[in-house]
Amino acid sequence: MKDCYLGRYNWNLTCAGLENERKIDSRADAKSIKERAKSVLKRHKVGDWEVDTIWFGYFPNQKYLLNINERKSKYCALVLLRNIKREGLMRAFTMCFENSNLPLKTMTSDRGMEFNCHKQFEETFKVPYYYTDKGKPWQKPTVENTNGLIRQFLPEGTKIEEIPSEQIQNIMFLLNNRPRKSLGFRTFAEVLHLAWQSTERRSYEANEPCCL
């Protein structure tokens, strides 16, 4: 399977743009996590993802690491962003899932303003996008746990802009290829490979990182 590391984006996205999105934020038609199938909660199949952002630095020089996690295998894809905005998030999602063999059936995030993209996501990928309840981050436990693992490599105070792309790629590779007791001492990549292969009969190269 190919790791879907996505390197630095240097887009001209401003905090003012994010403020404008706050003014037009509308999620009246957004799907609640309560509507999500119970099979997703029980992790029966691969393809159900959680996403979150890890913030570094202080306004107006904040930088962001997008962390996308598959629930069953705990496989993660990391995207280093200069700024956050709907178009930026969608570009990251598109590069991750359109140009790889990663299975995608659902996406779940919190209600942070950077994730005001459910309509565009569902139109692009034809899969449902769900939001956790306000103030309940534990409803996306996989990505929250991985955030903690990432902080072991990149603690608070890290100047993320000084971290080379190769180091972010290596962090992702180490996370996805470290045997875990909770997975029967298989790696994230192995579990995703085996589960997806058994359900869809598709093959992957599990241990070859790819920088797009």
Side-chain angles (χ1 to χ4, degrees), residues 54-57 61-65 80-82 160-161:
I54 303 176
W55 295 41
F56 296 88
N61 299 312
Q62 290 169 317
K63 302 296 182 290
Y64 315 89
L65 185 65
L80 191 56
L81 301 173
R82 292 292 186 184
I160 197 72
E161 67 275 10

Side-chain angles (χ1 to χ4, degrees), residues 56-122:
F56 296 88
Y58 301 94
F59 179 83
N61 299 312
Q62 290 169 317
K63 302 296 182 290
Y64 315 89
L65 185 65
L66 189 70
N67 179 19
I68 314 173
N69 274 203
E70 201 282 318
R71 282 180 53 82
K72 181 178 176 63
S73 66
K74 303 181 183 180
Y75 183 91
C76 73
L78 303 180
V79 185
L80 191 56
L81 301 173
R82 292 292 186 184
N83 293 278
I84 48 176
K85 189 178 176 183
R86 182 184 298 120
E87 289 81 3
L89 270 292
M90 282 306 304
R91 183 174 179 180
F93 284 134
T94 298
M95 292 186 68
C96 185
F97 292 107
E98 189 175 85
N99 298 323
S100 74
N101 289 323
L102 296 175
L104 175 61
K105 296 180 180 177
T106 68
M107 183 65 68
T108 301
S109 76
D110 59 31
R111 295 177 178 270
M113 292 307 305
E114 67 269 33
F115 296 120
N116 184 23
C117 59
H118 64 285
K119 291 182 180 179
Q120 293 80 2
F121 186 93
E122 292 181 341

Side-chain angles (χ1 to χ4, degrees), residues 127-152:
V127 299
Y129 191 110
Y130 298 98
Y131 288 104
T132 60
D133 295 328
K134 186 176 181 180
K136 295 185 178 180
W138 58 85
Q139 292 180 334
K140 50 181 179 64
T142 307
V143 74
E144 291 289 342
N145 181 69
T146 306
N147 285 348
L149 297 177
I150 292 170
R151 282 295 189 186
Q152 295 177 12

Side-chain angles (χ1 to χ4, degrees), residues 1-200:
M1 177 182 302
K2 293 184 177 181
D3 283 357
C4 189
Y5 168 77
L6 307 174
R8 295 176 184 268
Y9 296 163
N10 190 17
W11 307 321
N12 185 24
L13 308 179
T14 65
C15 290
L18 190 58
E19 288 296 329
N20 289 335
E21 289 192 2
R22 284 193 177 95
K23 297 177 182 178
I24 61 174
D25 180 29
S26 176
R27 306 191 198 187
D29 58 344
K31 295 179 176 64
S32 167
I33 194 171
K34 295 183 178 66
E35 303 175 61
R36 200 176 64 179
K38 293 182 179 179
S39 60
V40 177
L41 181 63
K42 296 180 179 180
R43 306 174 192 262
H44 286 327
K45 298 180 180 179
V46 295
D48 299 305
W49 296 76
E50 299 172 359
V51 62
D52 200 8
T53 49
I54 303 176
W55 295 41
F56 296 88
Y58 301 94
F59 179 83
N61 299 312
Q62 290 169 317
K63 302 296 182 290
Y64 315 89
L65 185 65
L66 189 70
N67 179 19
I68 314 173
N69 274 203
E70 201 282 318
R71 282 180 53 82
K72 181 178 176 63
S73 66
K74 303 181 183 180
Y75 183 91
C76 73
L78 303 180
V79 185
L80 191 56
L81 301 173
R82 292 292 186 184
N83 293 278
I84 48 176
K85 189 178 176 183
R86 182 184 298 120
E87 289 81 3
L89 270 292
M90 282 306 304
R91 183 174 179 180
F93 284 134
T94 298
M95 292 186 68
C96 185
F97 292 107
E98 189 175 85
N99 298 323
S100 74
N101 289 323
L102 296 175
L104 175 61
K105 296 180 180 177
T106 68
M107 183 65 68
T108 301
S109 76
D110 59 31
R111 295 177 178 270
M113 292 307 305
E114 67 269 33
F115 296 120
N116 184 23
C117 59
H118 64 285
K119 291 182 180 179
Q120 293 80 2
F121 186 93
E122 292 181 341
E123 290 173 0
T124 300
F125 298 107
K126 311 304 179 186
V127 299
Y129 191 110
Y130 298 98
Y131 288 104
T132 60
D133 295 328
K134 186 176 181 180
K136 295 185 178 180
W138 58 85
Q139 292 180 334
K140 50 181 179 64
T142 307
V143 74
E144 291 289 342
N145 181 69
T146 306
N147 285 348
L149 297 177
I150 292 170
R151 282 295 189 186
Q152 295 177 12
F153 295 96
L154 303 170
E156 292 187 19
T158 297
K159 294 183 178 180
I160 197 72
E161 67 275 10
E162 298 179 2
I163 302 298
S165 300
E166 292 78 11
Q167 186 171 338
I168 302 297
Q169 182 179 12
N170 188 55
I171 291 171
M172 179 178 162
F173 183 81
L174 290 174
L175 289 172
N176 286 330
N177 291 277
R178 181 167 59 179
R180 307 293 299 203
K181 183 178 179 180
S182 62
L183 298 174
F185 295 99
R186 292 190 177 97
T187 68
F188 296 171
E190 286 174 336
V191 172
L192 182 60
H193 167 73
L194 292 172
W196 187 236
Q197 186 179 53
S198 65
T199 56
E200 301 292 336

